[in-house]
Amino acid sequence: MRKTCLNTVYELAKKDKKVLFIGSDLGPGVLNEFKKNIPERFFMEGVSEQLIIGLSAGLAMEGFKPYVNTIATFITRRCFEQVTLDLCLHDLPVKLIGNGGGLVYATLGPTHLAIEDISILRPLPNMTIVAPCDSAEMKSFMKKAIDWSHPIYIRLARGGDKIITK
C-alpha cells in the first residue's frame, strides 16, 4: 500500500506542477524516479519531522500541494503542535502520509507504535483522517484527494494485503 501511495504521488506530480513530496528519513530508494526526474519538487529532510510540517505549511500557503511522508508516530505525536497550529488552524491542504499505522513497526520499540495516531488527530479542526484498506482503494483515493482543500492524514498500515475492494 505504501508503494502504491507514493507512486501515485509521483504520478500526480508529473501531471500537476504544484504537487511536491516532502519526506523525513525514509531511507534510500524511496521515490528514486521522482527524485531523479523532478528534483526541484522532491525534498528528503532527514530526521526533522517538525521542520517538514512547517515547510509544508509555508509551501501550501504559496499554492503548492505538499504530500508529507514519514512514520505515523512521528507525524502525529512528534509533530502534534505543528500539525495543529501550522496546518489545521490555517486549514491548509497538506496531505500527511503516516507509515506503519497500528503495530506494523512494533519490533522497533514503543517509539514506533502508532496505536493512538487516529485519536490524536481526531479532535483537530479541519482535519480529515482516512485509512484505505488495500492498494486499489489507496490508488483511487489518492487521485481524488489531490483537490481536497483541507489537511488530511492518510494512515498506511502493513501493505501487501490482499485486494478486497471491488
Side-chain angles (χ1 to χ4, degrees), residues 18-124:
K18 294 292 186 175
V19 171
L20 48 86
F21 176 81
I22 305 170
S24 170
D25 194 33
L26 298 178
V30 173
L31 286 173
N32 272 344
E33 290 298 310
F34 195 137
K35 182 179 180 179
K36 177 183 169 190
N37 297 323
I38 318 174
E40 69 279 6
R41 290 188 279 135
F42 178 89
F43 304 91
M44 189 63 70
E45 299 304 313
V47 182
S48 55
E49 290 83 6
Q50 293 95 340
L51 171 112
I52 65 174
I53 300 301
L55 175 64
S56 68
L59 289 164
M61 287 179 172
E62 293 298 318
F64 287 96
K65 299 175 182 179
Y67 287 79
V68 178
N69 181 224
T70 193
I71 293 173
T73 56
F74 301 166
I75 212 165
T76 57
R77 266 195 253 148
R78 188 172 289 170
C79 298
F80 182 75
E81 184 175 10
Q82 289 78 20
V83 169
T84 303
L85 300 178
D86 297 350
L87 302 184
C88 292
L89 293 181
H90 291 287
D91 197 15
L92 295 175
V94 174
K95 281 73 171 165
L96 303 175
I97 303 167
N99 300 334
L103 301 173
V104 173
Y105 295 145
T107 58
L108 298 174
T111 60
H112 288 63
L113 295 177
I115 55 176
E116 73 285 275
D117 55 330
I118 292 172
S119 63
I120 286 172
L121 298 180
R122 277 198 64 189
L124 298 183

